[in-house]
Amino acid sequence: MINRYALVASLTATLFSFTALSSASALEMAQAQETQPTQGQVGKGTDATVSDQKIQAFAVAYLQVDKVRQAYSAKIEATTDAAAKEKLQTEASKEMVEAVESSPAISVEEYSTILTAAQNDPALAKKVQEKIQNTTPPAQQ
């Protein structure tokens, strides 16, 4: 259970770091963060170990998570009360995790791993970005 909370915290922190960024600038962010060491940093060549099917599943989940992020980011920015902001961030985090969990063929752990790997590997980031741009979001929600 602690691992799930750690994944949720990691996922939330990473996703909220994208708050001011559009999908098009995610690659630029990944390239900028390449030089910053992070815990569990994945080495070069990671893109070879992530299958096209997992990248596709990630793209579908990412688009669902991005919908949640967009819905909550405006609310969070418009809120001045710190407690209300924290509550909104918690709600957003839960919905983001649920969006990943409801996505086919990918777990929260796999999603988080691919997201981290893409931030540290420009080649994988490019593949992921291309897949996101060419993926039609599911009709649900």
Side-chain angles (χ1 to χ4, degrees):
M1 183 171 271
I2 292 175
N3 287 338
R4 183 165 189 256
Y5 288 120
L7 286 173
V8 171
S10 174
L11 179 64
T12 302
T14 302
L15 291 171
F16 275 105
S17 70
F18 285 108
T19 299
L21 301 174
S22 68
S23 294
S25 63
L27 175 62
E28 294 167 5
M29 181 180 161
Q31 290 171 338
Q33 288 186 351
E34 177 186 5
T35 59
Q36 298 175 357
T38 59
Q39 183 177 359
Q41 186 170 8
V42 180
K44 297 289 180 195
T46 304
D47 64 320
T49 62
V50 180
S51 71
D52 285 341
Q53 292 82 9
K54 284 299 175 187
I55 293 174
Q56 178 63 41
F58 175 87
V60 170
Y62 178 88
L63 291 172
Q64 292 300 100
V65 168
D66 194 52
K67 284 182 186 179
V68 174
R69 183 201 54 79
Q70 288 176 10
Y72 276 91
S73 67
K75 293 177 190 177
I76 291 168
E77 288 178 24
T79 304
T80 56
D81 180 46
K85 277 188 182 200
E86 188 173 325
K87 182 180 178 188
L88 285 171
Q89 288 174 338
T90 300
E91 288 174 18
S93 173
K94 287 179 183 176
E95 285 193 34
M96 289 176 190
V97 170
E98 288 171 8
V100 174
E101 288 175 340
S102 68
S103 295
I106 194 164
S107 68
V108 173
E109 184 177 353
E110 290 169 323
Y111 182 93
S112 182
T113 299
I114 292 170
L115 187 61
T116 301
Q119 289 174 336
N120 295 311
D121 185 341
L124 179 59
K126 183 177 180 183
K127 284 183 179 181
V128 167
Q129 187 64 34
E130 288 171 356
K131 193 64 80 172
I132 289 169
Q133 290 174 348
N134 295 321
T135 298
T136 304
Q140 65 188 21
Q141 293 184 346

mmCIF file of all heavy atoms in Angstrom, residues 45-83:
data_model
loop_
_atom_site.group_PDB
_atom_site.id
_atom_site.type_symbol
_atom_site.label_atom_id
_atom_site.label_comp_id
_atom_site.label_asym_id
_atom_site.label_seq_id
_atom_site.Cartn_x
_atom_site.Cartn_y
_atom_site.Cartn_z
ATOM 1 N N GLY A 45 18.981 4.467 -23.546
ATOM 2 C CA GLY A 45 18.550 3.242 -24.190
ATOM 3 C C GLY A 45 17.233 2.715 -23.660
ATOM 4 O O GLY A 45 16.799 1.648 -24.036
ATOM 5 N N THR A 46 16.570 3.480 -22.791
ATOM 6 C CA THR A 46 15.314 3.044 -22.205
ATOM 7 C C THR A 46 14.240 2.848 -23.253
ATOM 8 O O THR A 46 13.409 1.972 -23.135
ATOM 9 C CB THR A 46 14.833 4.088 -21.177
ATOM 10 O OG1 THR A 46 15.866 4.267 -20.220
ATOM 11 C CG2 THR A 46 13.584 3.636 -20.472
ATOM 12 N N ASP A 47 14.269 3.658 -24.314
ATOM 13 C CA ASP A 47 13.222 3.566 -25.329
ATOM 14 C C ASP A 47 13.171 2.178 -25.959
ATOM 15 O O ASP A 47 12.128 1.738 -26.399
ATOM 16 C CB ASP A 47 13.386 4.651 -26.387
ATOM 17 C CG ASP A 47 14.661 4.520 -27.192
ATOM 18 O OD1 ASP A 47 15.705 4.187 -26.599
ATOM 19 O OD2 ASP A 47 14.610 4.755 -28.407
ATOM 20 N N ALA A 48 14.280 1.472 -25.976
ATOM 21 C CA ALA A 48 14.317 0.135 -26.559
ATOM 22 C C ALA A 48 13.570 -0.870 -25.689
ATOM 23 O O ALA A 48 13.100 -1.886 -26.186
ATOM 24 C CB ALA A 48 15.759 -0.316 -26.750
ATOM 25 N N THR A 49 13.429 -0.582 -24.393
ATOM 26 C CA THR A 49 12.775 -1.517 -23.493
ATOM 27 C C THR A 49 11.293 -1.227 -23.317
ATOM 28 O O THR A 49 10.604 -2.002 -22.690
ATOM 29 C CB THR A 49 13.461 -1.519 -22.114
ATOM 30 O OG1 THR A 49 13.339 -0.219 -21.540
ATOM 31 C CG2 THR A 49 14.912 -1.916 -22.228
ATOM 32 N N VAL A 50 10.799 -0.119 -23.856
ATOM 33 C CA VAL A 50 9.383 0.212 -23.761
ATOM 34 C C VAL A 50 8.737 -0.128 -25.103
ATOM 35 O O VAL A 50 9.083 0.444 -26.127
ATOM 36 C CB VAL A 50 9.169 1.702 -23.415
ATOM 37 C CG1 VAL A 50 7.686 2.017 -23.328
ATOM 38 C CG2 VAL A 50 9.873 2.071 -22.117
ATOM 39 N N SER A 51 7.819 -1.074 -25.075
ATOM 40 C CA SER A 51 7.191 -1.531 -26.312
ATOM 41 C C SER A 51 6.276 -0.457 -26.896
ATOM 42 O O SER A 51 5.802 0.436 -26.183
ATOM 43 C CB SER A 51 6.387 -2.799 -26.056
ATOM 44 O OG SER A 51 5.233 -2.505 -25.294
ATOM 45 N N ASP A 52 6.034 -0.565 -28.183
ATOM 46 C CA ASP A 52 5.110 0.354 -28.849
ATOM 47 C C ASP A 52 3.713 0.249 -28.237
ATOM 48 O O ASP A 52 3.004 1.248 -28.140
ATOM 49 C CB ASP A 52 5.050 0.073 -30.351
ATOM 50 C CG ASP A 52 6.292 0.569 -31.088
ATOM 51 O OD1 ASP A 52 7.019 1.428 -30.535
ATOM 52 O OD2 ASP A 52 6.540 0.101 -32.209
ATOM 53 N N GLN A 53 3.328 -0.963 -27.823
ATOM 54 C CA GLN A 53 2.016 -1.147 -27.214
ATOM 55 C C GLN A 53 1.921 -0.384 -25.892
ATOM 56 O O GLN A 53 0.886 0.219 -25.590
ATOM 57 C CB GLN A 53 1.722 -2.640 -26.977
ATOM 58 C CG GLN A 53 1.535 -3.442 -28.242
ATOM 59 C CD GLN A 53 2.861 -3.882 -28.892
ATOM 60 O OE1 GLN A 53 3.939 -3.737 -28.323
ATOM 61 N NE2 GLN A 53 2.763 -4.411 -30.097
ATOM 62 N N LYS A 54 2.996 -0.412 -25.103
ATOM 63 C CA LYS A 54 2.999 0.319 -23.836
ATOM 64 C C LYS A 54 3.021 1.826 -24.078
ATOM 65 O O LYS A 54 2.382 2.584 -23.346
ATOM 66 C CB LYS A 54 4.184 -0.096 -22.951
ATOM 67 C CG LYS A 54 3.984 -1.427 -22.286
ATOM 68 C CD LYS A 54 2.769 -1.421 -21.373
ATOM 69 C CE LYS A 54 2.524 -2.804 -20.814
ATOM 70 N NZ LYS A 54 1.263 -2.877 -20.062
ATOM 71 N N ILE A 55 3.739 2.263 -25.102
ATOM 72 C CA ILE A 55 3.750 3.688 -25.428
ATOM 73 C C ILE A 55 2.349 4.120 -25.861
ATOM 74 O O ILE A 55 1.871 5.186 -25.468
ATOM 75 C CB ILE A 55 4.813 4.016 -26.501
ATOM 76 C CG1 ILE A 55 6.218 3.803 -25.916
ATOM 77 C CG2 ILE A 55 4.665 5.462 -26.985
ATOM 78 C CD1 ILE A 55 7.345 3.945 -26.926
ATOM 79 N N GLN A 56 1.674 3.277 -26.636
ATOM 80 C CA GLN A 56 0.299 3.589 -27.049
ATOM 81 C C GLN A 56 -0.625 3.649 -25.836
ATOM 82 O O GLN A 56 -1.442 4.561 -25.704
ATOM 83 C CB GLN A 56 -0.216 2.549 -28.051
ATOM 84 C CG GLN A 56 -1.652 2.778 -28.487
ATOM 85 C CD GLN A 56 -1.858 4.093 -29.224
ATOM 86 O OE1 GLN A 56 -1.042 4.480 -30.041
ATOM 87 N NE2 GLN A 56 -2.943 4.779 -28.917
ATOM 88 N N ALA A 57 -0.508 2.672 -24.945
ATOM 89 C CA ALA A 57 -1.330 2.658 -23.732
ATOM 90 C C ALA A 57 -1.037 3.882 -22.876
ATOM 91 O O ALA A 57 -1.951 4.493 -22.307
ATOM 92 C CB ALA A 57 -1.072 1.374 -22.938
ATOM 93 N N PHE A 58 0.238 4.263 -22.798
ATOM 94 C CA PHE A 58 0.628 5.459 -22.056
ATOM 95 C C PHE A 58 -0.032 6.693 -22.669
ATOM 96 O O PHE A 58 -0.555 7.547 -21.955
ATOM 97 C CB PHE A 58 2.155 5.630 -22.053
ATOM 98 C CG PHE A 58 2.598 6.911 -21.402
ATOM 99 C CD1 PHE A 58 2.813 6.966 -20.041
ATOM 100 C CD2 PHE A 58 2.789 8.067 -22.152
ATOM 101 C CE1 PHE A 58 3.208 8.156 -19.435
ATOM 102 C CE2 PHE A 58 3.182 9.251 -21.561
ATOM 103 C CZ PHE A 58 3.389 9.293 -20.194
ATOM 104 N N ALA A 59 -0.009 6.793 -23.995
ATOM 105 C CA ALA A 59 -0.579 7.958 -24.680
ATOM 106 C C ALA A 59 -2.069 8.088 -24.382
ATOM 107 O O ALA A 59 -2.554 9.197 -24.102
ATOM 108 C CB ALA A 59 -0.335 7.854 -26.184
ATOM 109 N N VAL A 60 -2.782 6.985 -24.420
ATOM 110 C CA VAL A 60 -4.217 7.006 -24.119
ATOM 111 C C VAL A 60 -4.435 7.472 -22.679
ATOM 112 O O VAL A 60 -5.266 8.342 -22.410
ATOM 113 C CB VAL A 60 -4.854 5.615 -24.361
ATOM 114 C CG1 VAL A 60 -6.276 5.553 -23.829
ATOM 115 C CG2 VAL A 60 -4.811 5.275 -25.843
ATOM 116 N N ALA A 61 -3.683 6.903 -21.749
ATOM 117 C CA ALA A 61 -3.809 7.284 -20.344
ATOM 118 C C ALA A 61 -3.399 8.743 -20.132
ATOM 119 O O ALA A 61 -4.056 9.476 -19.388
ATOM 120 C CB ALA A 61 -2.951 6.357 -19.468
ATOM 121 N N TYR A 62 -2.331 9.161 -20.798
ATOM 122 C CA TYR A 62 -1.853 10.537 -20.667
ATOM 123 C C TYR A 62 -2.941 11.529 -21.079
ATOM 124 O O TYR A 62 -3.156 12.546 -20.411
ATOM 125 C CB TYR A 62 -0.599 10.757 -21.515
ATOM 126 C CG TYR A 62 -0.091 12.178 -21.459
ATOM 127 C CD1 TYR A 62 0.810 12.564 -20.467
ATOM 128 C CD2 TYR A 62 -0.516 13.131 -22.377
ATOM 129 C CE1 TYR A 62 1.266 13.873 -20.398
ATOM 130 C CE2 TYR A 62 -0.067 14.438 -22.307
ATOM 131 C CZ TYR A 62 0.830 14.812 -21.324
ATOM 132 O OH TYR A 62 1.260 16.110 -21.249
ATOM 133 N N LEU A 63 -3.639 11.242 -22.163
ATOM 134 C CA LEU A 63 -4.693 12.146 -22.627
ATOM 135 C C LEU A 63 -5.831 12.229 -21.611
ATOM 136 O O LEU A 63 -6.393 13.302 -21.387
ATOM 137 C CB LEU A 63 -5.205 11.706 -23.994
ATOM 138 C CG LEU A 63 -4.188 11.884 -25.133
ATOM 139 C CD1 LEU A 63 -4.700 11.235 -26.416
ATOM 140 C CD2 LEU A 63 -3.865 13.355 -25.360
ATOM 141 N N GLN A 64 -6.150 11.121 -20.966
ATOM 142 C CA GLN A 64 -7.179 11.121 -19.931
ATOM 143 C C GLN A 64 -6.700 11.908 -18.700
ATOM 144 O O GLN A 64 -7.450 12.689 -18.133
ATOM 145 C CB GLN A 64 -7.551 9.694 -19.535
ATOM 146 C CG GLN A 64 -8.271 8.933 -20.636
ATOM 147 C CD GLN A 64 -9.556 9.619 -21.040
ATOM 148 O OE1 GLN A 64 -9.615 10.314 -22.050
ATOM 149 N NE2 GLN A 64 -10.592 9.450 -20.256
ATOM 150 N N VAL A 65 -5.464 11.688 -18.310
ATOM 151 C CA VAL A 65 -4.894 12.395 -17.165
ATOM 152 C C VAL A 65 -4.816 13.890 -17.469
ATOM 153 O O VAL A 65 -5.095 14.735 -16.614
ATOM 154 C CB VAL A 65 -3.502 11.822 -16.806
ATOM 155 C CG1 VAL A 65 -2.765 12.719 -15.822
ATOM 156 C CG2 VAL A 65 -3.650 10.421 -16.241
ATOM 157 N N ASP A 66 -4.473 14.230 -18.699
ATOM 158 C CA ASP A 66 -4.364 15.629 -19.088
ATOM 159 C C ASP A 66 -5.715 16.335 -19.005
ATOM 160 O O ASP A 66 -5.785 17.508 -18.640
ATOM 161 C CB ASP A 66 -3.770 15.749 -20.491
ATOM 162 C CG ASP A 66 -3.332 17.166 -20.801
ATOM 163 O OD1 ASP A 66 -2.583 17.749 -19.982
ATOM 164 O OD2 ASP A 66 -3.752 17.700 -21.852
ATOM 165 N N LYS A 67 -6.797 15.627 -19.322
ATOM 166 C CA LYS A 67 -8.145 16.203 -19.173
ATOM 167 C C LYS A 67 -8.394 16.582 -17.715
ATOM 168 O O LYS A 67 -8.921 17.647 -17.418
ATOM 169 C CB LYS A 67 -9.215 15.214 -19.630
ATOM 170 C CG LYS A 67 -9.353 15.072 -21.111
ATOM 171 C CD LYS A 67 -10.491 14.098 -21.414
ATOM 172 C CE LYS A 67 -10.597 13.800 -22.878
ATOM 173 N NZ LYS A 67 -11.682 12.848 -23.165
ATOM 174 N N VAL A 68 -8.030 15.683 -16.823
ATOM 175 C CA VAL A 68 -8.202 15.945 -15.391
ATOM 176 C C VAL A 68 -7.335 17.126 -14.981
ATOM 177 O O VAL A 68 -7.793 18.040 -14.279
ATOM 178 C CB VAL A 68 -7.862 14.695 -14.543
ATOM 179 C CG1 VAL A 68 -7.898 15.011 -13.056
ATOM 180 C CG2 VAL A 68 -8.797 13.543 -14.879
ATOM 181 N N ARG A 69 -6.071 17.115 -15.430
ATOM 182 C CA ARG A 69 -5.155 18.207 -15.084
ATOM 183 C C ARG A 69 -5.704 19.541 -15.543
ATOM 184 O O ARG A 69 -5.710 20.518 -14.794
ATOM 185 C CB ARG A 69 -3.782 17.969 -15.718
ATOM 186 C CG ARG A 69 -2.750 19.040 -15.322
ATOM 187 C CD ARG A 69 -1.579 19.120 -16.288
ATOM 188 N NE ARG A 69 -1.938 19.316 -17.669
ATOM 189 C CZ ARG A 69 -2.292 20.488 -18.217
ATOM 190 N NH1 ARG A 69 -2.359 21.565 -17.490
ATOM 191 N NH2 ARG A 69 -2.590 20.569 -19.489
ATOM 192 N N GLN A 70 -6.199 19.602 -16.764
ATOM 193 C CA GLN A 70 -6.741 20.845 -17.292
ATOM 194 C C GLN A 70 -7.961 21.306 -16.504
ATOM 195 O O GLN A 70 -8.113 22.492 -16.213
ATOM 196 C CB GLN A 70 -7.098 20.692 -18.772
ATOM 197 C CG GLN A 70 -5.883 20.605 -19.664
ATOM 198 C CD GLN A 70 -6.249 20.348 -21.126
ATOM 199 O OE1 GLN A 70 -7.411 20.413 -21.507
ATOM 200 N NE2 GLN A 70 -5.254 20.050 -21.932
ATOM 201 N N ALA A 71 -8.826 20.374 -16.156
ATOM 202 C CA ALA A 71 -10.033 20.713 -15.406
ATOM 203 C C ALA A 71 -9.701 21.285 -14.034
ATOM 204 O O ALA A 71 -10.348 22.227 -13.571
ATOM 205 C CB ALA A 71 -10.919 19.480 -15.269
ATOM 206 N N TYR A 72 -8.689 20.724 -13.398
ATOM 207 C CA TYR A 72 -8.352 21.165 -12.049
ATOM 208 C C TYR A 72 -7.370 22.333 -12.008
ATOM 209 O O TYR A 72 -7.375 23.099 -11.053
ATOM 210 C CB TYR A 72 -7.798 19.996 -11.223
ATOM 211 C CG TYR A 72 -8.885 19.164 -10.604
ATOM 212 C CD1 TYR A 72 -9.405 18.057 -11.264
ATOM 213 C CD2 TYR A 72 -9.407 19.481 -9.356
ATOM 214 C CE1 TYR A 72 -10.411 17.283 -10.707
ATOM 215 C CE2 TYR A 72 -10.413 18.719 -8.789
ATOM 216 C CZ TYR A 72 -10.913 17.624 -9.460
ATOM 217 O OH TYR A 72 -11.899 16.876 -8.894
ATOM 218 N N SER A 73 -6.512 22.475 -12.990
ATOM 219 C CA SER A 73 -5.487 23.521 -12.903
ATOM 220 C C SER A 73 -6.107 24.913 -12.835
ATOM 221 O O SER A 73 -5.658 25.755 -12.058
ATOM 222 C CB SER A 73 -4.480 23.426 -14.051
ATOM 223 O OG SER A 73 -5.097 23.712 -15.283
ATOM 224 N N ALA A 74 -7.162 25.167 -13.612
ATOM 225 C CA ALA A 74 -7.815 26.475 -13.574
ATOM 226 C C ALA A 74 -8.457 26.711 -12.206
ATOM 227 O O ALA A 74 -8.367 27.819 -11.650
ATOM 228 C CB ALA A 74 -8.855 26.577 -14.678
ATOM 229 N N LYS A 75 -9.093 25.668 -11.665
ATOM 230 C CA LYS A 75 -9.718 25.785 -10.343
ATOM 231 C C LYS A 75 -8.669 26.065 -9.270
ATOM 232 O O LYS A 75 -8.875 26.905 -8.395
ATOM 233 C CB LYS A 75 -10.464 24.489 -9.981
ATOM 234 C CG LYS A 75 -11.667 24.195 -10.825
ATOM 235 C CD LYS A 75 -12.266 22.855 -10.403
ATOM 236 C CE LYS A 75 -13.330 22.377 -11.344
ATOM 237 N NZ LYS A 75 -13.860 21.058 -10.965
ATOM 238 N N ILE A 76 -7.555 25.357 -9.352
ATOM 239 C CA ILE A 76 -6.497 25.509 -8.353
ATOM 240 C C ILE A 76 -5.886 26.900 -8.429
ATOM 241 O O ILE A 76 -5.665 27.560 -7.414
ATOM 242 C CB ILE A 76 -5.434 24.399 -8.507
ATOM 243 C CG1 ILE A 76 -6.029 23.056 -8.107
ATOM 244 C CG2 ILE A 76 -4.188 24.714 -7.685
ATOM 245 C CD1 ILE A 76 -5.189 21.850 -8.469
ATOM 246 N N GLU A 77 -5.627 27.367 -9.645
ATOM 247 C CA GLU A 77 -5.040 28.697 -9.811
ATOM 248 C C GLU A 77 -5.991 29.795 -9.358
ATOM 249 O O GLU A 77 -5.550 30.826 -8.857
ATOM 250 C CB GLU A 77 -4.634 28.920 -11.269
ATOM 251 C CG GLU A 77 -3.429 28.106 -11.672
ATOM 252 C CD GLU A 77 -3.053 28.286 -13.134
ATOM 253 O OE1 GLU A 77 -3.390 29.322 -13.730
ATOM 254 O OE2 GLU A 77 -2.411 27.368 -13.676
ATOM 255 N N ALA A 78 -7.292 29.598 -9.520
ATOM 256 C CA ALA A 78 -8.283 30.611 -9.151
ATOM 257 C C ALA A 78 -8.554 30.639 -7.648
ATOM 258 O O ALA A 78 -9.115 31.602 -7.133
ATOM 259 C CB ALA A 78 -9.587 30.362 -9.904
ATOM 260 N N THR A 79 -8.140 29.609 -6.949
ATOM 261 C CA THR A 79 -8.395 29.513 -5.517
ATOM 262 C C THR A 79 -7.266 30.167 -4.736
ATOM 263 O O THR A 79 -6.093 29.906 -4.986
ATOM 264 C CB THR A 79 -8.527 28.031 -5.098
ATOM 265 O OG1 THR A 79 -9.552 27.433 -5.873
ATOM 266 C CG2 THR A 79 -8.838 27.887 -3.629
ATOM 267 N N THR A 80 -7.645 31.005 -3.779
ATOM 268 C CA THR A 80 -6.629 31.682 -2.968
ATOM 269 C C THR A 80 -6.437 31.022 -1.605
ATOM 270 O O THR A 80 -5.392 31.176 -0.992
ATOM 271 C CB THR A 80 -7.009 33.170 -2.748
ATOM 272 O OG1 THR A 80 -8.314 33.238 -2.144
ATOM 273 C CG2 THR A 80 -7.006 33.924 -4.070
ATOM 274 N N ASP A 81 -7.425 30.276 -1.156
ATOM 275 C CA ASP A 81 -7.344 29.602 0.134
ATOM 276 C C ASP A 81 -6.437 28.373 0.029
ATOM 277 O O ASP A 81 -6.670 27.482 -0.797
ATOM 278 C CB ASP A 81 -8.749 29.192 0.582
ATOM 279 C CG ASP A 81 -8.746 28.475 1.923
ATOM 280 O OD1 ASP A 81 -8.071 28.947 2.853
ATOM 281 O OD2 ASP A 81 -9.427 27.431 2.023
ATOM 282 N N ALA A 82 -5.403 28.317 0.852
ATOM 283 C CA ALA A 82 -4.423 27.225 0.800
ATOM 284 C C ALA A 82 -5.068 25.871 1.074
ATOM 285 O O ALA A 82 -4.742 24.879 0.420
ATOM 286 C CB ALA A 82 -3.289 27.483 1.787
ATOM 287 N N ALA A 83 -5.979 25.807 2.032
ATOM 288 C CA ALA A 83 -6.636 24.539 2.356
ATOM 289 C C ALA A 83 -7.503 24.068 1.189
ATOM 290 O O ALA A 83 -7.535 22.871 0.871
ATOM 291 C CB ALA A 83 -7.481 24.687 3.617
#
